[in-house]
Amino acid sequence: AGRPVTPMDLETMLRAGRPVTLLDVREASELEADGAFPTTAAQVHVPLGDLRERLPALKSEGTLASEVVVACKSGQRAHVGARLLRQLGFPDAKILSGSFLTATISAGMLREAR
């Protein structure tokens, strides 16, 4: 499964030109309330409860990049989502370490460092 990906790791992967999809498994109400993750990665939102059902279509449509990083608000659902992805044909699925809040703080630090 590999180690979790930090928000800074994710941005490094993107700058290197690696095809990465951030799979957001939060509920629709959380996405609406908090907004998207602060990253330039392609983002796909599928609530964790819908992932098993929707994954075959996402695979056949080519919606997900070869590298998938799963994220949620606190990190717990990301672990479950990444495990499900690995079971269903994405052996390299990773999780975004921390949480939505961690990613938001890290993004602010990245902007300030530029």
Side-chain angles (χ1 to χ4, degrees):
R3 65 179 178 76
V5 174
T6 68
M8 293 179 105
D9 292 338
L10 178 60
E11 294 306 315
T12 299
M13 292 163 70
L14 293 167
R15 280 196 300 276
R18 290 166 59 180
V20 180
T21 301
L22 181 78
L23 178 60
D24 182 350
V25 296
R26 294 177 294 164
E27 293 298 318
S29 59
E30 292 171 292
L31 176 62
E32 194 173 302
D34 298 330
F37 277 82
T39 178
T40 57
Q43 295 186 44
V44 175
H45 175 250
V46 179
L48 181 61
D50 299 338
L51 188 57
R52 183 178 295 278
E53 181 182 324
R54 293 203 32 214
L55 191 57
L58 293 172
K59 280 178 73 171
S60 67
E61 295 165 0
T63 302
L64 301 177
S66 56
E67 292 191 75
V68 180
V69 177
V70 185
C72 67
K73 190 165 186 165
S74 69
Q76 293 177 334
R77 287 171 288 178
H79 281 281
V80 174
R83 186 171 51 245
L84 182 60
L85 282 171
R86 288 191 292 271
Q87 291 170 354
L88 299 176
F90 288 86
D92 298 324
K94 297 173 176 58
I95 64 155
L96 185 67
S97 65
S99 63
F100 181 79
L101 180 60
T102 303
T104 303
I105 291 168
S106 293
M109 290 174 9
L110 283 172
R111 278 194 296 277
E112 290 171 12
R114 289 184 182 152

